[in-house]
Amino acid sequence: ETGVTQSPTHLIKTRGQQVTLRCSSQSGHNTVSWYQQALGQGPQFIFQYYREEENGRGNFPPRFSGLQFPNYSSELNVNALELDDSALYLCASSALGGGPSEQYFGPGTRLTVT
Amino acid sequence: AQSVTQPDIHITVSEGASLELRCNYSYGATPYLFWYVQSPGQGLQLLLKYFSGDTLVQGIKGFEAEFKRSQSSFNLRKPSVHWSDAAEYFCAVISNAGNMLTFGGGTRLMVKP
């Protein structure tokens, strides 16, 4: 069974640029959630995708957007990067179906904005 | 809104000593509770979860946690800590309305030889 994978591992961008992060969900999972973890803090929920539709969103501006594909993999896009967007971005997959479920995390993408 | 508090930012214990990490939550309905562990620069690994039933739950790596509704707590315990347990530990709660995890700020565990 393949776990959750994310790419790239590290990324350096300049303020104002755009970035796309990728996530492959665990086999059998239909839901992907994205979290932002700033240094020294707990992860913060960005949004969740279930069957290719956004299924909940945290307190993040519209320049954070996402996609989920038919194979349940997902992308996180961030436009107009700001210095405060520097963080570890974590993707988690789960099998949603009528109730809460465990989320399994990937290793994360470390984004640095200069 | 739901919230999770981990009162201890740092904890240092000697190898072989017992461990208890505290977690308090604020949530109106029955919470679904989790403990995750994160090694430096890594993603989060699920240690254990509580959904319902027995309030003492067993997890991986010899960890256990006890749900106490009267105290709104879900403390993590381990009887004998190993040096490899040094990491950051996060308590989290999920609402039944969605599948969004709300995390505490984390507790960094250091283990002395």
Side-chain angles (χ1 to χ4, degrees):
Chain A
E1 183 179 279
T2 306
V4 180
T5 60
Q6 293 186 243
S7 63
T9 306
H10 296 89
L11 204 52
I12 300 175
K13 289 286 189 178
T14 303
R15 190 172 50 183
Q17 286 187 317
Q18 177 265 342
V19 69
T20 297
L21 310 182
R22 295 177 176 82
C23 170
S24 291
S25 60
Q26 187 167 309
S27 175
H29 286 180
N30 55 16
T31 302
V32 171
S33 304
W34 286 92
Y35 295 82
Q36 180 195 65
Q37 185 179 21
L39 202 59
Q41 297 182 22
Q44 299 286 318
F45 175 72
I46 303 174
F47 43 56
Q48 181 182 88
Y49 278 84
Y50 170 62
R51 293 185 175 178
E52 302 179 58
E53 298 283 336
E54 188 177 288
N55 187 45
R57 189 179 184 93
N59 189 27
F60 280 81
R63 59 189 185 84
F64 285 78
S65 63
L67 283 173
Q68 188 180 30
F69 300 98
N71 66 354
Y72 303 126
S73 66
S74 177
E75 287 182 354
L76 164 66
N77 299 290
V78 187
N79 293 322
L81 283 167
E82 301 177 359
L83 296 179
D84 285 348
D85 296 333
S86 294
L88 181 67
Y89 288 84
L90 295 163
C91 161
S93 77
S94 54
L96 195 60
S101 58
E102 304 151 28
Q103 295 186 22
Y104 294 91
F105 284 81
T109 294
R110 172 74 61 188
L111 173 65
T112 302
V113 182
T114 61
Chain B
Q2 60 201 43
S3 65
V4 178
T5 302
Q6 294 180 245
D8 305 304
I9 298 173
H10 292 100
I11 282 186
T12 300
V13 300
S14 297
E15 190 167 18
S18 64
L19 171 70
E20 182 168 26
L21 303 182
R22 296 184 291 164
C23 172
N24 294 99
Y25 66 89
S26 173
Y27 182 60
T30 300
Y32 301 94
L33 296 156
F34 303 81
W35 275 99
Y36 285 87
V37 61
Q38 185 177 38
S39 297
Q42 302 296 311
L44 300 169
Q45 182 181 23
L46 179 65
L47 285 176
L48 47 77
K49 68 179 187 291
Y50 172 77
F51 281 6
S52 65
D54 192 347
T55 57
L56 183 64
V57 292
Q58 302 297 320
I60 62 172
K61 304 185 178 187
F63 285 93
E64 66 178 27
E66 186 171 13
F67 170 60
K68 293 185 177 179
R69 184 187 301 275
S70 61
Q71 298 177 19
S72 296
S73 70
F74 187 57
N75 294 348
L76 181 72
R77 301 193 295 247
K78 187 170 184 178
S80 178
V81 169
H82 187 264
W83 64 267
S84 61
D85 294 324
E88 185 109 27
Y89 291 80
F90 291 96
C91 181
V93 65
I94 207 166
S95 71
N96 196 34
N99 214 33
M100 174 189 84
L101 282 166
T102 298
F103 286 87
T107 298
R108 178 161 297 281
L109 173 66
M110 290 175 281
V111 181
K112 292 190 302 185

PDB file of all heavy atoms in Angstrom, chain A residues 48-79:
ATOM      1  N   GLN A  48     -10.376  21.290   1.973  1.00  0.00           N
ATOM      2  CA  GLN A  48     -10.502  19.851   1.759  1.00  0.00           C
ATOM      3  C   GLN A  48     -11.233  19.602   0.441  1.00  0.00           C
ATOM      4  O   GLN A  48     -12.152  20.349   0.090  1.00  0.00           O
ATOM      5  CB  GLN A  48     -11.304  19.207   2.891  1.00  0.00           C
ATOM      6  CG  GLN A  48     -11.481  17.709   2.772  1.00  0.00           C
ATOM      7  CD  GLN A  48     -12.329  17.169   3.893  1.00  0.00           C
ATOM      8  OE1 GLN A  48     -13.558  17.104   3.824  1.00  0.00           O
ATOM      9  NE2 GLN A  48     -11.671  16.786   4.981  1.00  0.00           N
ATOM     10  N   TYR A  49     -10.820  18.571  -0.271  1.00  0.00           N
ATOM     11  CA  TYR A  49     -11.481  18.165  -1.501  1.00  0.00           C
ATOM     12  C   TYR A  49     -12.001  16.740  -1.360  1.00  0.00           C
ATOM     13  O   TYR A  49     -11.281  15.834  -0.919  1.00  0.00           O
ATOM     14  CB  TYR A  49     -10.525  18.271  -2.692  1.00  0.00           C
ATOM     15  CG  TYR A  49     -10.449  19.677  -3.203  1.00  0.00           C
ATOM     16  CD1 TYR A  49      -9.595  20.584  -2.604  1.00  0.00           C
ATOM     17  CD2 TYR A  49     -11.278  20.114  -4.233  1.00  0.00           C
ATOM     18  CE1 TYR A  49      -9.544  21.900  -3.039  1.00  0.00           C
ATOM     19  CE2 TYR A  49     -11.231  21.428  -4.674  1.00  0.00           C
ATOM     20  CZ  TYR A  49     -10.370  22.316  -4.061  1.00  0.00           C
ATOM     21  OH  TYR A  49     -10.326  23.610  -4.477  1.00  0.00           O
ATOM     22  N   TYR A  50     -13.253  16.575  -1.763  1.00  0.00           N
ATOM     23  CA  TYR A  50     -13.912  15.269  -1.722  1.00  0.00           C
ATOM     24  C   TYR A  50     -14.578  15.050  -3.064  1.00  0.00           C
ATOM     25  O   TYR A  50     -15.420  15.851  -3.481  1.00  0.00           O
ATOM     26  CB  TYR A  50     -14.942  15.237  -0.593  1.00  0.00           C
ATOM     27  CG  TYR A  50     -15.854  14.041  -0.571  1.00  0.00           C
ATOM     28  CD1 TYR A  50     -15.352  12.757  -0.409  1.00  0.00           C
ATOM     29  CD2 TYR A  50     -17.235  14.200  -0.700  1.00  0.00           C
ATOM     30  CE1 TYR A  50     -16.193  11.655  -0.375  1.00  0.00           C
ATOM     31  CE2 TYR A  50     -18.082  13.107  -0.670  1.00  0.00           C
ATOM     32  CZ  TYR A  50     -17.551  11.833  -0.503  1.00  0.00           C
ATOM     33  OH  TYR A  50     -18.395  10.742  -0.467  1.00  0.00           O
ATOM     34  N   ARG A  51     -14.184  13.995  -3.745  1.00  0.00           N
ATOM     35  CA  ARG A  51     -14.736  13.680  -5.068  1.00  0.00           C
ATOM     36  C   ARG A  51     -14.700  14.898  -5.985  1.00  0.00           C
ATOM     37  O   ARG A  51     -15.701  15.256  -6.608  1.00  0.00           O
ATOM     38  CB  ARG A  51     -16.144  13.122  -4.918  1.00  0.00           C
ATOM     39  CG  ARG A  51     -16.170  11.775  -4.235  1.00  0.00           C
ATOM     40  CD  ARG A  51     -17.543  11.162  -4.185  1.00  0.00           C
ATOM     41  NE  ARG A  51     -17.499   9.821  -3.624  1.00  0.00           N
ATOM     42  CZ  ARG A  51     -18.565   9.063  -3.418  1.00  0.00           C
ATOM     43  NH1 ARG A  51     -19.757   9.509  -3.724  1.00  0.00           N
ATOM     44  NH2 ARG A  51     -18.441   7.857  -2.886  1.00  0.00           N
ATOM     45  N   GLU A  52     -13.543  15.546  -6.014  1.00  0.00           N
ATOM     46  CA  GLU A  52     -13.217  16.636  -6.939  1.00  0.00           C
ATOM     47  C   GLU A  52     -13.926  17.954  -6.624  1.00  0.00           C
ATOM     48  O   GLU A  52     -13.816  18.915  -7.394  1.00  0.00           O
ATOM     49  CB  GLU A  52     -13.507  16.230  -8.395  1.00  0.00           C
ATOM     50  CG  GLU A  52     -12.744  14.989  -8.838  1.00  0.00           C
ATOM     51  CD  GLU A  52     -13.058  14.578 -10.265  1.00  0.00           C
ATOM     52  OE1 GLU A  52     -12.862  15.392 -11.184  1.00  0.00           O
ATOM     53  OE2 GLU A  52     -13.508  13.425 -10.459  1.00  0.00           O
ATOM     54  N   GLU A  53     -14.623  18.036  -5.492  1.00  0.00           N
ATOM     55  CA  GLU A  53     -15.300  19.274  -5.098  1.00  0.00           C
ATOM     56  C   GLU A  53     -14.710  19.770  -3.775  1.00  0.00           C
ATOM     57  O   GLU A  53     -14.383  18.959  -2.892  1.00  0.00           O
ATOM     58  CB  GLU A  53     -16.808  19.034  -4.910  1.00  0.00           C
ATOM     59  CG  GLU A  53     -17.536  18.586  -6.153  1.00  0.00           C
ATOM     60  CD  GLU A  53     -17.795  19.728  -7.132  1.00  0.00           C
ATOM     61  OE1 GLU A  53     -17.839  20.884  -6.677  1.00  0.00           O
ATOM     62  OE2 GLU A  53     -17.933  19.455  -8.328  1.00  0.00           O
ATOM     63  N   GLU A  54     -14.631  21.092  -3.613  1.00  0.00           N
ATOM     64  CA  GLU A  54     -14.198  21.643  -2.331  1.00  0.00           C
ATOM     65  C   GLU A  54     -15.254  21.307  -1.277  1.00  0.00           C
ATOM     66  O   GLU A  54     -16.439  21.577  -1.452  1.00  0.00           O
ATOM     67  CB  GLU A  54     -13.995  23.157  -2.426  1.00  0.00           C
ATOM     68  CG  GLU A  54     -13.345  23.741  -1.167  1.00  0.00           C
ATOM     69  CD  GLU A  54     -13.064  25.227  -1.275  1.00  0.00           C
ATOM     70  OE1 GLU A  54     -12.141  25.617  -2.019  1.00  0.00           O
ATOM     71  OE2 GLU A  54     -13.773  25.993  -0.603  1.00  0.00           O
ATOM     72  N   ASN A  55     -14.800  20.774  -0.153  1.00  0.00           N
ATOM     73  CA  ASN A  55     -15.698  20.251   0.882  1.00  0.00           C
ATOM     74  C   ASN A  55     -15.437  20.906   2.229  1.00  0.00           C
ATOM     75  O   ASN A  55     -15.603  20.294   3.256  1.00  0.00           O
ATOM     76  CB  ASN A  55     -15.497  18.733   0.996  1.00  0.00           C
ATOM     77  CG  ASN A  55     -16.500  18.086   1.912  1.00  0.00           C
ATOM     78  OD1 ASN A  55     -17.696  18.374   1.845  1.00  0.00           O
ATOM     79  ND2 ASN A  55     -16.041  17.218   2.800  1.00  0.00           N
ATOM     80  N   GLY A  56     -15.014  22.146   2.214  1.00  0.00           N
ATOM     81  CA  GLY A  56     -14.732  22.861   3.446  1.00  0.00           C
ATOM     82  C   GLY A  56     -13.489  23.700   3.260  1.00  0.00           C
ATOM     83  O   GLY A  56     -12.574  23.308   2.522  1.00  0.00           O
ATOM     84  N   ARG A  57     -13.468  24.839   3.907  1.00  0.00           N
ATOM     85  CA  ARG A  57     -12.353  25.761   3.755  1.00  0.00           C
ATOM     86  C   ARG A  57     -12.082  26.444   5.080  1.00  0.00           C
ATOM     87  O   ARG A  57     -13.019  26.808   5.795  1.00  0.00           O
ATOM     88  CB  ARG A  57     -12.695  26.802   2.692  1.00  0.00           C
ATOM     89  CG  ARG A  57     -11.534  27.682   2.293  1.00  0.00           C
ATOM     90  CD  ARG A  57     -11.930  28.682   1.220  1.00  0.00           C
ATOM     91  NE  ARG A  57     -10.763  29.449   0.805  1.00  0.00           N
ATOM     92  CZ  ARG A  57      -9.974  29.128  -0.220  1.00  0.00           C
ATOM     93  NH1 ARG A  57     -10.236  28.070  -0.944  1.00  0.00           N
ATOM     94  NH2 ARG A  57      -8.928  29.874  -0.527  1.00  0.00           N
ATOM     95  N   GLY A  58     -10.817  26.618   5.392  1.00  0.00           N
ATOM     96  CA  GLY A  58     -10.423  27.345   6.585  1.00  0.00           C
ATOM     97  C   GLY A  58     -10.311  28.831   6.286  1.00  0.00           C
ATOM     98  O   GLY A  58     -10.751  29.315   5.241  1.00  0.00           O
ATOM     99  N   ASN A  59      -9.693  29.552   7.202  1.00  0.00           N
ATOM    100  CA  ASN A  59      -9.608  30.995   7.102  1.00  0.00           C
ATOM    101  C   ASN A  59      -8.403  31.411   6.257  1.00  0.00           C
ATOM    102  O   ASN A  59      -7.449  32.016   6.763  1.00  0.00           O
ATOM    103  CB  ASN A  59      -9.522  31.587   8.513  1.00  0.00           C
ATOM    104  CG  ASN A  59      -9.656  33.093   8.504  1.00  0.00           C
ATOM    105  OD1 ASN A  59     -10.267  33.666   7.611  1.00  0.00           O
ATOM    106  ND2 ASN A  59      -9.074  33.734   9.496  1.00  0.00           N
ATOM    107  N   PHE A  60      -8.458  31.090   4.991  1.00  0.00           N
ATOM    108  CA  PHE A  60      -7.387  31.449   4.059  1.00  0.00           C
ATOM    109  C   PHE A  60      -7.993  32.240   2.902  1.00  0.00           C
ATOM    110  O   PHE A  60      -9.110  31.968   2.483  1.00  0.00           O
ATOM    111  CB  PHE A  60      -6.680  30.186   3.543  1.00  0.00           C
ATOM    112  CG  PHE A  60      -5.678  29.635   4.513  1.00  0.00           C
ATOM    113  CD1 PHE A  60      -6.090  28.836   5.577  1.00  0.00           C
ATOM    114  CD2 PHE A  60      -4.332  29.926   4.385  1.00  0.00           C
ATOM    115  CE1 PHE A  60      -5.175  28.341   6.499  1.00  0.00           C
ATOM    116  CE2 PHE A  60      -3.406  29.424   5.293  1.00  0.00           C
ATOM    117  CZ  PHE A  60      -3.829  28.640   6.350  1.00  0.00           C
ATOM    118  N   PRO A  61      -7.233  33.214   2.355  1.00  0.00           N
ATOM    119  CA  PRO A  61      -7.775  34.054   1.282  1.00  0.00           C
ATOM    120  C   PRO A  61      -7.937  33.281  -0.015  1.00  0.00           C
ATOM    121  O   PRO A  61      -7.361  32.196  -0.178  1.00  0.00           O
ATOM    122  CB  PRO A  61      -6.718  35.157   1.153  1.00  0.00           C
ATOM    123  CG  PRO A  61      -5.458  34.544   1.664  1.00  0.00           C
ATOM    124  CD  PRO A  61      -5.871  33.605   2.758  1.00  0.00           C
ATOM    125  N   PRO A  62      -8.691  33.851  -0.965  1.00  0.00           N
ATOM    126  CA  PRO A  62      -8.964  33.176  -2.240  1.00  0.00           C
ATOM    127  C   PRO A  62      -7.723  32.908  -3.079  1.00  0.00           C
ATOM    128  O   PRO A  62      -7.783  32.071  -4.000  1.00  0.00           O
ATOM    129  CB  PRO A  62      -9.902  34.154  -2.962  1.00  0.00           C
ATOM    130  CG  PRO A  62     -10.503  34.965  -1.882  1.00  0.00           C
ATOM    131  CD  PRO A  62      -9.465  35.087  -0.816  1.00  0.00           C
ATOM    132  N   ARG A  63      -6.613  33.580  -2.796  1.00  0.00           N
ATOM    133  CA  ARG A  63      -5.410  33.288  -3.593  1.00  0.00           C
ATOM    134  C   ARG A  63      -4.864  31.884  -3.288  1.00  0.00           C
ATOM    135  O   ARG A  63      -3.971  31.414  -3.996  1.00  0.00           O
ATOM    136  CB  ARG A  63      -4.343  34.367  -3.368  1.00  0.00           C
ATOM    137  CG  ARG A  63      -3.881  34.528  -1.952  1.00  0.00           C
ATOM    138  CD  ARG A  63      -2.980  35.761  -1.801  1.00  0.00           C
ATOM    139  NE  ARG A  63      -2.454  35.828  -0.444  1.00  0.00           N
ATOM    140  CZ  ARG A  63      -1.380  35.163  -0.059  1.00  0.00           C
ATOM    141  NH1 ARG A  63      -0.710  34.436  -0.939  1.00  0.00           N
ATOM    142  NH2 ARG A  63      -0.954  35.253   1.188  1.00  0.00           N
ATOM    143  N   PHE A  64      -5.416  31.247  -2.270  1.00  0.00           N
ATOM    144  CA  PHE A  64      -5.142  29.827  -2.031  1.00  0.00           C
ATOM    145  C   PHE A  64      -6.275  29.049  -2.711  1.00  0.00           C
ATOM    146  O   PHE A  64      -7.456  29.196  -2.344  1.00  0.00           O
ATOM    147  CB  PHE A  64      -5.137  29.492  -0.540  1.00  0.00           C
ATOM    148  CG  PHE A  64      -3.909  29.946   0.191  1.00  0.00           C
ATOM    149  CD1 PHE A  64      -3.759  31.275   0.559  1.00  0.00           C
ATOM    150  CD2 PHE A  64      -2.906  29.047   0.521  1.00  0.00           C
ATOM    151  CE1 PHE A  64      -2.615  31.707   1.225  1.00  0.00           C
ATOM    152  CE2 PHE A  64      -1.771  29.456   1.208  1.00  0.00           C
ATOM    153  CZ  PHE A  64      -1.623  30.788   1.550  1.00  0.00           C
ATOM    154  N   SER A  65      -5.931  28.241  -3.709  1.00  0.00           N
ATOM    155  CA  SER A  65      -6.953  27.476  -4.407  1.00  0.00           C
ATOM    156  C   SER A  65      -6.452  26.058  -4.619  1.00  0.00           C
ATOM    157  O   SER A  65      -5.263  25.771  -4.462  1.00  0.00           O
ATOM    158  CB  SER A  65      -7.297  28.117  -5.750  1.00  0.00           C
ATOM    159  OG  SER A  65      -6.160  28.120  -6.592  1.00  0.00           O
ATOM    160  N   GLY A  66      -7.375  25.190  -4.997  1.00  0.00           N
ATOM    161  CA  GLY A  66      -6.986  23.796  -5.155  1.00  0.00           C
ATOM    162  C   GLY A  66      -7.765  23.083  -6.219  1.00  0.00           C
ATOM    163  O   GLY A  66      -8.718  23.611  -6.811  1.00  0.00           O
ATOM    164  N   LEU A  67      -7.318  21.862  -6.455  1.00  0.00           N
ATOM    165  CA  LEU A  67      -7.982  20.978  -7.400  1.00  0.00           C
ATOM    166  C   LEU A  67      -7.854  19.556  -6.883  1.00  0.00           C
ATOM    167  O   LEU A  67      -6.873  19.228  -6.221  1.00  0.00           O
ATOM    168  CB  LEU A  67      -7.294  21.032  -8.773  1.00  0.00           C
ATOM    169  CG  LEU A  67      -7.532  22.198  -9.711  1.00  0.00           C
ATOM    170  CD1 LEU A  67      -6.605  22.062 -10.909  1.00  0.00           C
ATOM    171  CD2 LEU A  67      -8.985  22.225 -10.160  1.00  0.00           C
ATOM    172  N   GLN A  68      -8.841  18.742  -7.235  1.00  0.00           N
ATOM    173  CA  GLN A  68      -8.683  17.306  -7.036  1.00  0.00           C
ATOM    174  C   GLN A  68      -9.004  16.626  -8.353  1.00  0.00           C
ATOM    175  O   GLN A  68      -9.956  17.003  -9.043  1.00  0.00           O
ATOM    176  CB  GLN A  68      -9.595  16.772  -5.931  1.00  0.00           C
ATOM    177  CG  GLN A  68      -9.298  15.310  -5.585  1.00  0.00           C
ATOM    178  CD  GLN A  68     -10.181  14.752  -4.488  1.00  0.00           C
ATOM    179  OE1 GLN A  68     -11.332  15.167  -4.336  1.00  0.00           O
ATOM    180  NE2 GLN A  68      -9.657  13.821  -3.707  1.00  0.00           N
ATOM    181  N   PHE A  69      -8.234  15.618  -8.686  1.00  0.00           N
ATOM    182  CA  PHE A  69      -8.367  14.946  -9.967  1.00  0.00           C
ATOM    183  C   PHE A  69      -9.131  13.629  -9.801  1.00  0.00           C
ATOM    184  O   PHE A  69      -9.304  13.149  -8.685  1.00  0.00           O
ATOM    185  CB  PHE A  69      -6.979  14.712 -10.561  1.00  0.00           C
ATOM    186  CG  PHE A  69      -6.223  15.993 -10.786  1.00  0.00           C
ATOM    187  CD1 PHE A  69      -5.279  16.430  -9.866  1.00  0.00           C
ATOM    188  CD2 PHE A  69      -6.495  16.795 -11.885  1.00  0.00           C
ATOM    189  CE1 PHE A  69      -4.597  17.626 -10.053  1.00  0.00           C
ATOM    190  CE2 PHE A  69      -5.822  17.985 -12.084  1.00  0.00           C
ATOM    191  CZ  PHE A  69      -4.876  18.411 -11.166  1.00  0.00           C
ATOM    192  N   PRO A  70      -9.588  13.028 -10.928  1.00  0.00           N
ATOM    193  CA  PRO A  70     -10.365  11.791 -10.835  1.00  0.00           C
ATOM    194  C   PRO A  70      -9.648  10.669 -10.093  1.00  0.00           C
ATOM    195  O   PRO A  70     -10.290   9.791  -9.521  1.00  0.00           O
ATOM    196  CB  PRO A  70     -10.622  11.428 -12.297  1.00  0.00           C
ATOM    197  CG  PRO A  70     -10.620  12.742 -12.998  1.00  0.00           C
ATOM    198  CD  PRO A  70      -9.582  13.566 -12.302  1.00  0.00           C
ATOM    199  N   ASN A  71      -8.315  10.668 -10.089  1.00  0.00           N
ATOM    200  CA  ASN A  71      -7.588   9.630  -9.343  1.00  0.00           C
ATOM    201  C   ASN A  71      -7.372  10.038  -7.881  1.00  0.00           C
ATOM    202  O   ASN A  71      -6.636   9.363  -7.156  1.00  0.00           O
ATOM    203  CB  ASN A  71      -6.243   9.329 -10.003  1.00  0.00           C
ATOM    204  CG  ASN A  71      -5.287  10.505  -9.937  1.00  0.00           C
ATOM    205  OD1 ASN A  71      -5.647  11.601  -9.492  1.00  0.00           O
ATOM    206  ND2 ASN A  71      -4.061  10.307 -10.390  1.00  0.00           N
ATOM    207  N   TYR A  72      -8.028  11.131  -7.455  1.00  0.00           N
ATOM    208  CA  TYR A  72      -8.018  11.648  -6.087  1.00  0.00           C
ATOM    209  C   TYR A  72      -6.733  12.367  -5.692  1.00  0.00           C
ATOM    210  O   TYR A  72      -6.625  12.832  -4.563  1.00  0.00           O
ATOM    211  CB  TYR A  72      -8.368  10.564  -5.060  1.00  0.00           C
ATOM    212  CG  TYR A  72      -9.710   9.923  -5.309  1.00  0.00           C
ATOM    213  CD1 TYR A  72      -9.834   8.545  -5.428  1.00  0.00           C
ATOM    214  CD2 TYR A  72     -10.849  10.709  -5.433  1.00  0.00           C
ATOM    215  CE1 TYR A  72     -11.074   7.972  -5.671  1.00  0.00           C
ATOM    216  CE2 TYR A  72     -12.078  10.143  -5.676  1.00  0.00           C
ATOM    217  CZ  TYR A  72     -12.185   8.759  -5.798  1.00  0.00           C
ATOM    218  OH  TYR A  72     -13.413   8.185  -6.035  1.00  0.00           O
ATOM    219  N   SER A  73      -5.783  12.472  -6.627  1.00  0.00           N
ATOM    220  CA  SER A  73      -4.636  13.319  -6.321  1.00  0.00           C
ATOM    221  C   SER A  73      -5.088  14.779  -6.303  1.00  0.00           C
ATOM    222  O   SER A  73      -6.193  15.104  -6.750  1.00  0.00           O
ATOM    223  CB  SER A  73      -3.516  13.096  -7.331  1.00  0.00           C
ATOM    224  OG  SER A  73      -3.923  13.542  -8.611  1.00  0.00           O
ATOM    225  N   SER A  74      -4.222  15.645  -5.796  1.00  0.00           N
ATOM    226  CA  SER A  74      -4.659  17.026  -5.587  1.00  0.00           C
ATOM    227  C   SER A  74      -3.517  18.006  -5.796  1.00  0.00           C
ATOM    228  O   SER A  74      -2.338  17.637  -5.695  1.00  0.00           O
ATOM    229  CB  SER A  74      -5.203  17.175  -4.164  1.00  0.00           C
ATOM    230  OG  SER A  74      -5.587  18.509  -3.873  1.00  0.00           O
ATOM    231  N   GLU A  75      -3.883  19.231  -6.098  1.00  0.00           N
ATOM    232  CA  GLU A  75      -2.941  20.341  -6.185  1.00  0.00           C
ATOM    233  C   GLU A  75      -3.384  21.478  -5.286  1.00  0.00           C
ATOM    234  O   GLU A  75      -4.589  21.712  -5.114  1.00  0.00           O
ATOM    235  CB  GLU A  75      -2.868  20.886  -7.623  1.00  0.00           C
ATOM    236  CG  GLU A  75      -2.153  20.012  -8.600  1.00  0.00           C
ATOM    237  CD  GLU A  75      -2.082  20.644  -9.988  1.00  0.00           C
ATOM    238  OE1 GLU A  75      -2.694  21.723 -10.198  1.00  0.00           O
ATOM    239  OE2 GLU A  75      -1.439  20.046 -10.857  1.00  0.00           O
ATOM    240  N   LEU A  76      -2.395  22.155  -4.719  1.00  0.00           N
ATOM    241  CA  LEU A  76      -2.624  23.400  -3.991  1.00  0.00           C
ATOM    242  C   LEU A  76      -1.915  24.493  -4.761  1.00  0.00           C
ATOM    243  O   LEU A  76      -0.720  24.369  -5.056  1.00  0.00           O
ATOM    244  CB  LEU A  76      -2.068  23.297  -2.573  1.00  0.00           C
ATOM    245  CG  LEU A  76      -1.872  24.602  -1.803  1.00  0.00           C
ATOM    246  CD1 LEU A  76      -3.210  25.271  -1.523  1.00  0.00           C
ATOM    247  CD2 LEU A  76      -1.135  24.340  -0.486  1.00  0.00           C
ATOM    248  N   ASN A  77      -2.642  25.531  -5.122  1.00  0.00           N
ATOM    249  CA  ASN A  77      -2.069  26.667  -5.827  1.00  0.00           C
ATOM    250  C   ASN A  77      -2.132  27.904  -4.935  1.00  0.00           C
ATOM    251  O   ASN A  77      -3.164  28.153  -4.296  1.00  0.00           O
ATOM    252  CB  ASN A  77      -2.856  26.942  -7.119  1.00  0.00           C
ATOM    253  CG  ASN A  77      -2.820  25.774  -8.067  1.00  0.00           C
ATOM    254  OD1 ASN A  77      -1.790  25.471  -8.644  1.00  0.00           O
ATOM    255  ND2 ASN A  77      -3.937  25.083  -8.213  1.00  0.00           N
ATOM    256  N   VAL A  78      -1.034  28.631  -4.921  1.00  0.00           N
ATOM    257  CA  VAL A  78      -1.010  29.882  -4.172  1.00  0.00           C
ATOM    258  C   VAL A  78      -0.522  30.979  -5.114  1.00  0.00           C
ATOM    259  O   VAL A  78       0.573  30.870  -5.687  1.00  0.00           O
ATOM    260  CB  VAL A  78      -0.094  29.817  -2.936  1.00  0.00           C
ATOM    261  CG1 VAL A  78      -0.243  31.091  -2.101  1.00  0.00           C
ATOM    262  CG2 VAL A  78      -0.403  28.592  -2.082  1.00  0.00           C
ATOM    263  N   ASN A  79      -1.354  31.996  -5.291  1.00  0.00           N
ATOM    264  CA  ASN A  79      -1.006  33.134  -6.151  1.00  0.00           C
ATOM    265  C   ASN A  79      -0.472  34.283  -5.304  1.00  0.00           C
ATOM    266  O   ASN A  79      -0.717  34.361  -4.098  1.00  0.00           O
ATOM    267  CB  ASN A  79      -2.249  33.608  -6.914  1.00  0.00           C
ATOM    268  CG  ASN A  79      -2.720  32.587  -7.913  1.00  0.00           C
ATOM    269  OD1 ASN A  79      -1.917  31.923  -8.566  1.00  0.00           O
ATOM    270  ND2 ASN A  79      -4.029  32.439  -8.030  1.00  0.00           N
TER     271      ASN A  79
END
